Amino acid sequence: MILLFYAIINAAAVVFFVRLKKRLHILEVMMYWFAASYMYQNLSALCYMNFKTLIIPDQLSYELAHFLSRILLYPALIVVFLHVYLGLGSFLAKLLLAVLYIGLLTGLEWMDHWLGVVVHKNWHFWWSLVFWLSTLLVLLGFMTAFRKILFRRNVPK
Amino acid sequence: MNVTFDWNEWFAIFASSIAFLNFLIVRGYFSAAMVVIVVMYNIFLVSTIDYFLIATPFKVYIFGDNPSYELSGGLFHLFMYPSASLLFLFLYDKFELYGHKTVWYILGWTCFALLFEWICVYNRFLVYTGWKLYYSIPTYPIAAVQLILLYRFATRKLLQIGFDNHYK
C-alpha cells in the first residue's frame, strides 16, 4: 500500500515535470537532476548507515518507496525550483520562492517520517531546514557555473 | 561506525589516484561541458546503484571494513568511476571504435572491469555479503552502452547550441 502511494506521487511528479515547459536546456535538466538526487542520497546514506539518525524499515516496499523519491520526486521538485527561479526578477521574489521550497521539501521529508518510510531518530528539526537550504544553494551555484560553461561560444583552437 | 585506516583504504587511495591521473591526461580531449556531463552522470549512477544494493533490505556488499558509508567508497564514486568513464569514451572516440568494433571494445572493457572488481575483492576493498562476481557480468556492458548513448546524445545537443565538443 505504501509503495503504491509513493509510486503514484512519484509518477505524478514525473508527468507534471515532463509536461512543464521549461526554461532549462535538456542537458541542464539532466545535470541538476543528477546533482539534486546525489545530494539527497548522500544525506540519506550518511544518516542511515553512519549516524543512525535515519531509519529505513527492513522491508522491500519501504526501501523502494524511498528509492523512488530520492531519484524522482525530490530531484524533479528541485529542478522545477531552478526553472521558476530563473523566471523571477526581484531578489525578494527569489527569497520567497526559496523559503516556500524549503518548507515544501521539509514537509515531504517529514511526510516520509509520518508514513514510516524514513524515520528520524535523535533528529533536530532545524537540521532538515539547513539541509534543504544548503541543497538549494549548492544547486544554484552549480547552475550558475554550468550555464557559464554551456552557453559560452566556443572558438576552436 | 568502526572505520580503521588500513590496507583497503590505501588501496582505494592508490586506485583513485591512478584513475585521477588518467582523468588529467584525457580530459583535454573533451569540452568542459562534456567533462561535467560525464562526471555528474557517473557520480549519480554509481552512488544510486551502490546505495540501493548496500542499504536495506538487500545488503549484498560493503565497501571497506564495515557496513557504513566509508570515505573509500566516496573516493571511488567521485574519482574512479568518472575517470574510468572518460578514459573509456576517449579511446572509443579517438580511435573511432564504432560499429562492430564497439562490441569488441565493450567486451574488452567488461573483462577488464571484472578483473578490477576481483582485485577490489581480493584487497578487501569490496566485501561481498550476498553478491557474486558473476552477477556483475551483465552490468558492465549495460553501463558501457548507456555511457555511449549518453555521450552521443550530449554531443548532438552540444552541437545544436554551437558547441564543438572537442574544444574547451
Side-chain angles (χ1 to χ4, degrees):
Chain A
M1 194 63 193
I2 199 80
L3 181 58
L4 180 66
F5 174 72
Y6 272 84
I8 290 169
I9 57 170
N10 273 278
V14 171
V15 169
F16 166 74
F17 185 83
V18 170
R19 294 172 72 93
L20 180 73
K21 194 169 167 53
K22 292 171 276 293
R23 293 182 187 90
L24 301 164
H25 188 271
I26 180 71
L27 293 174
E28 285 188 276
V29 170
M30 289 164 64
M31 290 305 101
Y32 310 150
W33 190 295
F34 295 159
S37 179
Y38 179 67
M39 291 277 296
Y40 183 51
Q41 297 206 66
N42 261 284
L43 171 86
S44 174
L46 281 168
C47 293
Y48 163 66
M49 294 197 287
N50 292 25
F51 308 128
K52 314 290 183 198
T53 47
L54 292 178
I55 313 290
I56 305 168
D58 238 349
Q59 291 173 44
L60 184 60
S61 56
Y62 286 83
E63 164 59 11
L64 288 177
H66 182 43
F67 176 71
L68 282 177
S69 293
R70 63 185 194 244
I71 65 161
L72 297 175
L73 179 62
Y74 287 96
L77 287 172
I78 291 170
V79 177
V80 172
F81 163 80
L82 297 173
H83 154 79
V84 178
Y85 181 92
L86 280 177
L88 296 176
S90 74
F91 175 75
L92 191 66
K94 288 175 178 174
L95 188 69
L96 189 65
L97 175 73
V99 171
L100 278 173
Y101 246 83
I102 290 166
L104 173 67
L105 293 165
T106 305
L108 279 172
E109 184 195 323
W110 282 87
M111 180 190 81
D112 292 343
H113 173 84
W114 289 315
L115 293 174
V117 173
V118 182
V119 179
H120 299 68
K121 193 179 164 192
N122 300 323
W123 187 274
H124 296 282
F125 181 74
W126 64 269
W127 292 357
S128 301
L129 302 175
V130 169
F131 172 72
W132 291 116
L133 171 66
S134 311
T135 300
L136 296 185
L137 289 175
V138 167
L139 263 292
L140 283 172
F142 181 47
M143 179 173 74
T144 306
F146 191 61
R147 285 176 81 85
K148 272 186 188 163
I149 294 172
L150 196 60
F151 296 120
R152 72 179 176 205
R153 281 281 161 185
N154 287 277
V155 182
K157 280 186 271 193
Chain B
M1 194 166 50
N2 179 29
V3 178
T4 50
F5 198 89
D6 49 22
W7 170 244
N8 50 41
E9 275 74 26
W10 279 115
F11 174 78
I13 291 168
F14 285 141
S16 299
S17 303
I18 292 167
F20 189 65
L21 280 176
N22 269 320
F23 168 81
L24 294 177
I25 294 165
V26 302
R27 67 172 175 164
Y29 182 76
F30 302 100
S31 65
M34 183 60 86
V35 171
V36 174
I37 290 164
V38 173
V39 168
M40 202 65 239
Y41 163 76
N42 269 278
I43 291 173
F44 163 74
L45 183 71
V46 293
S47 58
T48 300
I49 292 171
D50 279 344
Y51 184 32
F52 184 70
L53 293 173
I54 288 172
T56 184
F58 305 108
K59 299 178 181 174
V60 289
Y61 54 84
I62 58 172
F63 284 115
D65 306 305
N66 58 77
S68 62
Y69 187 13
E70 287 205 6
L71 178 66
S72 50
L75 273 178
F76 261 49
H77 289 165
L78 293 172
F79 296 105
M80 173 56 73
Y81 296 106
S83 303
S85 295
L86 273 180
L87 180 63
F88 172 87
L89 290 172
F90 169 76
L91 296 172
Y92 167 77
D93 202 55
K94 174 87 175 170
F95 299 105
E96 300 183 353
L97 301 172
Y98 311 140
H100 72 276
K101 287 181 194 166
T102 307
V103 177
W104 293 108
Y105 183 54
I106 290 175
L107 193 66
W109 264 92
T110 300
C111 293
F112 171 73
L114 286 167
L115 174 68
F116 185 71
E117 185 174 324
W118 178 81
I119 291 169
C120 289
V121 173
Y122 183 78
N123 286 283
R124 296 199 60 79
F125 167 70
L126 186 61
V127 178
Y128 293 155
T129 52
W131 192 259
K132 307 278 184 215
L133 185 61
Y134 60 82
Y135 293 172
S136 299
I137 293 172
T139 63
Y140 292 115
I142 292 169
V145 170
Q146 279 182 351
L147 188 60
I148 289 172
L149 290 175
L150 172 88
Y151 178 68
R152 293 168 74 119
F153 175 78
T155 302
R156 199 166 64 245
K157 291 294 171 187
L158 287 172
L159 279 171
Q160 282 172 4
I161 51 173
F163 210 111
D164 188 332
N165 183 36
H166 292 125
Y167 296 95
K168 288 182 186 178

